[in-house]
Amino acid sequence: MDYSSLKKSFATQENALAAQSNFINRVFLWMCAGLGVSGAVAWGIVRNGGSFLRTNPNSGFLLAILTIGLVFFLSAAINRISATAATLCFIAYAALNGAMLSSIFFVYSTGSIARAFC
């Protein structure tokens, strides 16, 4: 192997590593955005009293069914829907998770929830 082909090989490897790093960074950015949406929805529901969750005993079951239904829909249609539709479904999924998890704030104190993450 001569020097020029070796140099080209290293450049190709560097490009591949840069592409891989860029992809991983975008994945983590999307996951961070999803957590942000979930947290914002949970905080908004708790801040407004969560009357729907408190007054309707089946609300948790309904939210769980909607979340699972959205997962099945995305799994079946992921190759047929546009990137915009997939993004909107991801945001809806994150919001549904936030709504489901907001009930934790009605059961446990904010301090005990914070201690769970430390």
Side-chain angles (χ1 to χ4, degrees), residues 5-115:
S5 63
L6 186 62
K7 188 176 175 183
K8 189 183 290 186
S9 174
F10 282 134
T12 304
Q13 288 176 351
E14 286 177 5
N15 289 342
L17 288 175
Q20 183 181 17
S21 177
N22 186 30
F23 175 76
I24 295 296
N25 287 339
R26 287 191 322 227
V27 168
F28 277 103
L29 182 64
W30 276 108
M31 293 312 297
C32 183
L35 285 173
V37 169
S38 295
V41 168
W43 180 80
I45 288 173
V46 170
R47 177 89 179 186
N48 292 321
S51 60
F52 175 74
L53 295 174
R54 289 180 176 219
T55 58
N56 188 351
N58 295 324
S59 61
F61 182 71
L62 176 66
L63 289 171
I65 293 298
L66 287 173
T67 303
I68 292 170
L70 186 57
V71 168
F72 281 129
F73 168 75
L74 275 172
S75 297
I78 196 66
N79 292 324
R80 295 187 310 264
I81 60 176
S82 68
T84 303
T87 301
L88 292 174
C89 287
F90 173 73
I91 292 169
Y93 175 78
L96 283 170
N97 272 313
M100 276 193 336
L101 295 174
S102 69
S103 62
I104 292 171
F105 288 95
F106 298 123
V107 177
Y108 299 102
S109 70
T110 307
S112 64
I113 294 170
R115 279 192 301 275

